[in-house]
Amino acid sequence: MTKVTFIENNGNRIEAIAEVGQSLMQVAVNSGVSGISAECGGACACGTCHCYVVGNGLVTLPTPDGDEADMIEFVIDPKANSRLSCQIAITPDLDGLIVHIPASQT
Amino acid sequence: MPLTSSDQLSFDPLSQAFAADPYPTYAALRERAHPYYYEDVDTWMLTKMADVENVALDKTMLRGNDDVLTAAERKAQQRKMNWHDMPHHERFVQFNLLESEGDVHDRLRKLVFREFTPGMILKQRGAIQAFVDKLLAELVGQNEIDFVEDFASHIPGHIIGRMLGVPDEDCPQLRVWSENVVRFFNVGCDDNDKRIAEQATEDFYLYLLDLLKLRETAPHDDLLSRMLAQKQDGLMTEDELIATSMLILMAGHGSTIDVLGSGMHSLLKFPDQRIKLRDDPSLIKTAVQEMFRYEAPLPYFHRFATQDCTVGGQYFTAGTRFGLLYGAANRDPARFDAPDTFDVTRSPNRHVAFGGGTHFCLGNHLARLDMDVIFTTLNERFTDVQLVDARPEYKSGLSVRGPKSLQIAWKEV
């Protein structure tokens, strides 16, 4: 059981229980998180699942690969902790992950 | 597969009734337990959001079926598709980013992908605004205009042409070529359409070759110059560069014009929604999303199964062609509350107007920004906009959706 907390731009917190193997994007969509529309369905092709990962999660996660890194560089308001949630697979190590939703996606 | 009585369902996507309102037909198709076989084009039609999404995201479902055909079958298919005698069409329209798969697709998409990312597209806002303001300055004295022809049709091509590196004065010619190239895909395309389409493709090709020669000696800060550098580095061939440029220019024209027209029509059909958006301009992002959901401008794309599969609860063999009816999936009540209601505040709005998976529309952020700037500007400047013709005629066929013209009366604030 992996607990993930999404913090929408208006400060609203949504806590979700994620299953190992799901993508972080799927967890957000299933939990009705506003601002994660993930329009391409997880193909790293649209940039509409951009999020900011904070805390220990950032250390635990593998670094973004080529496609994800390319997209992150050119999303709106990229930061050092920017990720595409469709490219993050849930593992038990990610328990307690905190994810902020960018203002540009609300 | 035996036909059941429900296969007698009336499905005539070429009819005027379908052009006027395809959504009752889509609803009837969606309510069937299994996909519908449309014999005329040997295609199984998918209308439920779950089925459409599953196939769009399935990496074994491809745009082309070359993998499952022999060389002889491929030749026979070209003849059946009726482009066997169109060498430029074969070279630059049947082969491109949209029609390729796997490593070729991924390589070509990556080469242009950065140009269409949200941050890069946002840099076009000033140019879009300036062009919209210039157009409005020319139109503002007229009380009545055709919103499609007089206004919308000029904008997307100008912006995408500018991004690519086409001089402003050539953009009107590009629109003519783009429209003529896609005449091949028209419903009831005849020999004359084919001749015009082939000639336009050749003219377009020769024009781009000349422009590339200019860029070779004097590179600009534009997509064409950057692709030329990629070609010189051996990352793409000249034919791939030409085909990619044509695809970007064509994709950047028609569908955005169509959704600008249908988007305006939706706002005028639902005046309470137009007032809501006018009173709260911050709703523009959800409003634009809803315009795409409500009237997907490209409501139909196909995929071929490369493996035996089960789709919509039914077994299919490799080689089966599926039709992904995005316009139908976007009205699926299993995904959307009150799907036939146009709601500018709808959120989340996970529609499939831009497709899904690896072929997800490359230009989606540009199309949305065009719409954002245009409708925000119109809402600021025009309080009184009325439909002159209550029932504007829509284009016919399964592959496109948009009004042929949209006569409106307007008054500036």
Side-chain angles (χ1 to χ4, degrees):
Chain A
M1 189 176 89
T2 305
K3 197 176 101 177
V4 179
T5 303
F6 297 95
I7 302 178
E8 296 175 338
N9 188 49
N10 61 6
N12 187 33
R13 293 171 71 94
I14 295 176
E15 296 192 343
I17 301 301
E19 287 173 32
V20 171
Q22 275 185 305
S23 74
L24 182 62
M25 175 274 280
Q26 287 169 325
V27 179
V29 168
N30 292 345
S31 307
V33 174
S34 177
I36 297 289
S37 52
E39 291 178 19
C40 73
C44 205
C46 68
T48 60
C49 69
H50 172 216
C51 62
Y52 304 121
V53 174
V54 297
N56 287 338
L58 197 60
V59 181
T60 312
L61 285 170
T63 52
D65 72 2
D67 283 353
E68 188 189 352
D70 277 352
M71 180 60 95
I72 286 171
E73 190 179 345
F74 293 101
V75 292
I76 295 171
D77 301 329
K79 295 181 183 173
N81 58 344
S82 284
R83 296 300 301 253
L84 294 188
S85 57
C86 73
Q87 300 300 302
I88 296 177
I90 297 293
T91 62
D93 292 350
L94 294 177
D95 189 35
L97 191 70
I98 297 174
V99 179
H100 285 261
I101 310 303
S104 60
Q105 287 164 222
T106 52
Chain B
M1 180 154 315
L3 290 177
T4 64
S5 58
S6 60
D7 284 303
Q8 304 310 314
L9 177 145
S10 165
F11 179 60
D12 182 6
L14 308 186
S15 68
Q16 279 308 304
F18 187 85
D21 185 3
Y23 298 103
T25 306
Y26 286 156
L29 289 172
R30 217 172 34 232
E31 282 157 17
R32 291 163 46 90
H34 298 294
Y36 174 79
Y37 180 62
Y38 182 35
E39 197 171 359
D40 294 24
V41 288
D42 185 21
T43 300
W44 289 85
M45 296 295 176
L46 306 179
T47 50
K48 294 181 173 70
M49 179 61 92
D51 295 340
V52 167
E53 276 189 333
N54 284 343
V55 169
L57 288 171
D58 186 335
K59 290 184 175 168
T60 70
M61 297 281 184
L62 305 183
R63 288 280 301 165
N65 62 348
D66 285 3
D67 291 354
V68 292
L69 297 181
T70 64
E73 285 171 335
R74 271 201 290 278
K75 279 282 169 207
Q77 180 167 277
Q78 283 185 7
R79 188 164 287 279
K80 189 175 159 193
M81 304 294 278
N82 205 14
W83 46 265
H84 55 286
D85 51 359
M86 298 173 72
H88 292 93
H89 176 89
E90 177 177 0
R91 199 166 149 199
F92 301 120
V93 183
Q94 287 298 331
F95 170 79
N96 59 33
L97 184 55
L98 175 62
E99 302 302 342
S100 60
E101 296 288 350
D103 292 343
V104 173
H105 168 269
D106 293 351
R107 175 173 55 81
L108 293 177
R109 186 170 174 117
K110 268 181 193 176
L111 291 174
V112 291
F113 168 76
R114 284 177 178 229
E115 309 280 341
F116 293 92
T117 49
M120 291 293 275
I121 289 301
L122 204 55
K123 294 180 183 174
Q124 300 297 327
R125 181 179 273 277
I128 300 170
Q129 185 71 62
F131 188 68
V132 168
D133 290 345
K134 177 171 163 279
L135 260 183
L136 285 176
E138 291 165 10
L139 291 172
V140 81
Q142 302 177 31
N143 296 330
E144 223 180 276
I145 64 159
D146 177 351
F147 181 79
V148 174
E149 186 53 39
D150 298 335
F151 183 67
S153 70
H154 298 280
I155 304 168
H158 178 89
I159 301 303
I160 194 72
R162 190 177 172 278
M163 279 181 69
L164 197 76
V166 173
D168 287 355
E169 60 272 23
D170 293 343
C171 287
Q173 177 61 58
L174 287 187
R175 182 183 167 208
V176 175
W177 282 331
S178 295
E179 288 178 353
N180 284 341
V181 168
V182 297
R183 277 176 79 142
F184 174 78
F185 301 103
N186 280 0
V187 175
C189 163
D190 58 19
D191 284 348
N192 190 45
D193 287 321
K194 278 181 62 174
R195 188 184 54 73
I196 291 170
E198 177 64 6
Q199 186 62 55
T201 311
E202 183 178 2
D203 292 345
F204 205 162
Y205 161 54
L206 295 173
Y207 172 82
L208 287 170
L209 269 190
D210 283 346
L211 202 53
L212 281 171
K213 280 195 191 105
L214 291 175
R215 292 295 185 274
E216 269 174 20
T217 48
H220 287 196
D221 178 16
D222 58 31
L223 179 50
L224 210 55
S225 299
R226 285 189 280 279
M227 283 198 290
L228 184 62
Q230 290 167 335
K231 189 202 112 186
Q232 286 162 345
D233 289 344
L235 299 172
M236 71 195 316
T237 66
E238 183 170 279
D239 276 16
E240 287 171 345
L241 197 170
I242 298 284
T244 304
S245 302
M246 275 193 199
L247 177 66
I248 287 171
L249 285 168
M250 290 190 294
H253 272 88
S255 53
T256 311
I257 298 169
D258 285 340
V259 75
L260 281 165
S262 64
M264 178 55 109
H265 188 204
S266 297
L267 285 175
L268 296 175
K269 274 193 301 185
F270 297 87
D272 60 319
Q273 296 300 306
R274 192 168 71 82
I275 289 165
K276 203 180 265 190
L277 176 61
R278 194 193 63 200
D279 292 348
D280 183 358
S282 73
L283 293 174
I284 188 65
K285 284 193 167 55
T286 51
V288 167
Q289 281 290 76
E290 183 68 344
M291 290 176 196
F292 275 101
R293 182 196 72 86
Y294 198 71
E295 295 283 12
L298 295 169
Y300 169 86
F301 274 82
H302 73 265
R303 294 286 193 279
F304 287 100
T306 57
Q307 297 175 5
D308 297 350
C309 56
T310 299
V311 174
Q314 194 167 322
Y315 178 79
F316 295 97
T317 54
T320 299
R321 184 172 146 123
F322 292 103
L324 280 59
L325 291 171
Y326 297 141
N330 281 350
R331 302 283 189 105
D332 188 344
R335 166 66 58 89
F336 302 102
D337 292 335
D340 293 320
T341 301
F342 179 76
D343 176 0
V344 295
T345 67
R346 190 182 291 275
S347 179
N349 190 349
R350 295 186 50 242
H351 64 73
V352 283
F354 295 115
T358 55
H359 289 292
F360 185 80
C361 173
L362 185 66
N364 75 91
H365 296 292
L366 178 60
R368 276 189 276 229
L369 185 61
D370 281 343
M371 304 270 286
D372 182 322
V373 171
I374 289 165
F375 284 105
T376 299
T377 306
L378 292 175
N379 275 337
E380 282 169 3
R381 293 187 51 179
F382 297 89
T383 49
D384 186 13
V385 185
Q386 306 284 338
L387 267 180
V388 172
D389 176 2
R391 289 184 162 271
E393 191 182 346
Y394 272 64
K395 294 176 179 176
S396 62
L398 201 54
S399 304
V400 292
R401 176 88 185 138
K404 288 180 176 175
S405 68
L406 190 72
Q407 288 297 133
I408 61 165
W410 62 4
K411 275 194 199 128
E412 200 173 10
V413 177

